[in-house]
Amino acid sequence: KIDSGHSGMVWSQYHCYTATGRPSNSYGGVNYAALNQSDGTRKCFRSRYGNDGCMVVLDYTAFHPRIVSHLVKYSVPTDIDIYAYLAKLYFYKKEVDETDIKNSKTLTFRQFYGGIEDKYLHIKYLSNIKQFTNEQWTLFNSQGYVETPFFKRRITSKHISEPDPPKVFNYLLQATEGELAIPKVREVLDYLKDKQTKAILYTYDAVLYDFYKPDGMNLLMDLRNIMSYDGRFPMKAYMGETYDDVKPIILNSSSNNP
């Protein structure tokens, strides 16, 4: 909703009771969680604190592939680019470039949404996904539902139209995303209760903050630690005057105040 005092603030609405449990977002026909990145729409997001504030995004890096690695019990080191890691296996290369990494991302999501292609079953990460998918499909057919990993919520044929193994896998994946991220959003809001910095937009794999600069960079590191489960899910940070012009920043103990 739009603030009646004409403060320039807008409150979007989240609906958590979706088939997967992944919240939807909208107000007045606008999905604030999926604003276009290239048409300038995001420029309207700027700090309420003027020169003392800025926009900061804390973004999960390759969140879905990392979630999958936990679901299928295949460990990928957190200090490497998971798409680069997979590109070496897809293309039988010791070193890969940006084009290989981009193609790896496309291939990986094709496996997620369409099922694992036989020619990639030599990659254990993917063969584990196929095994997990088959196990969940068997459960879905034998008991009429599968359970989400953390909240133990049942996903049934009432939730999935024309179910098949990849669909069941993807419903579980999206549900797991919400079950990992939403509790951390709650922790973030609790942490910020006595701070000027505010969390203003949850976008599934990222949170946008109105960062009050006097709060200091250590606050951003604390937020990253909360959201990332103390580093189990790698994250990147971005900062800018508006949501549209955020640029990558490095968060570490030697970071200077902005």
Side-chain angles (χ1 to χ4, degrees), residues 4 12 32 249:
S4 59
S12 62
Y32 286 92
I249 61 170

Side-chain angles (χ1 to χ4, degrees), residues 9 18-19 47 50 100 115 137 142 153 161 182 184 207 214 225-226:
M9 294 187 184
T18 60
S47 178
D100 293 324
W137 179 241
S142 63
R153 187 173 59 82
S161 174
I182 293 173
K184 289 302 175 181
V207 173
N225 289 340
I226 292 170

Side-chain angles (χ1 to χ4, degrees), residues 96-235:
V96 292
D97 58 24
E98 289 301 317
T99 298
D100 293 324
I101 294 170
K102 182 178 179 181
N103 290 336
S104 170
K105 183 174 182 179
T106 300
L107 273 174
T108 299
F109 278 89
R110 194 167 83 197
Q111 308 313 300
F112 289 174
Y113 292 115
I116 308 301
E117 298 169 52
D118 288 345
K119 63 183 175 180
Y120 297 125
L121 286 174
H122 66 283
I123 301 174
K124 185 165 175 54
Y125 175 83
L126 298 179
S127 64
N128 279 19
I129 293 174
K130 184 164 187 176
Q131 180 181 344
F132 176 83
T133 300
N134 289 341
E135 291 169 352
Q136 296 303 312
W137 179 241
T138 298
L139 286 172
F140 187 83
N141 283 297
S142 63
Q143 62 189 19
Y145 64 89
V146 290
E147 283 189 340
T148 61
F150 298 106
F151 295 174
K152 303 302 179 184
R153 187 173 59 82
R154 293 183 178 184
I155 297 175
T156 72
S157 57
K158 293 180 180 179
H159 300 107
I160 307 176
S161 174
E162 299 181 359
D164 59 24
K167 278 189 179 180
V168 170
F169 171 75
N170 275 278
Y171 269 65
L172 280 170
L173 173 56
Q174 291 188 49
T176 304
E177 175 194 57
E179 292 182 3
L180 284 167
I182 293 173
K184 289 302 175 181
V185 172
R186 178 72 269 169
E187 287 187 39
V188 161
L189 295 176
D190 288 341
Y191 172 80
L192 292 175
K193 279 182 179 178
D194 60 350
K195 314 292 192 303
Q196 292 299 307
T197 295
K198 306 298 180 185
I200 60 174
L201 187 65
Y202 164 65
T203 60
Y204 311 127
D205 59 357
V207 173
L208 175 66
Y209 294 91
D210 184 357
F211 176 53
Y212 182 59
K213 295 177 183 179
D215 279 341
M217 298 297 281
N218 284 338
L219 176 138
L220 296 181
M221 290 191 288
D222 288 344
L223 292 173
R224 180 187 61 187
N225 289 340
I226 292 170
M227 290 177 62
S228 69
Y229 284 80
D230 293 321
R232 286 173 57 198
F233 291 94
M235 304 195 75

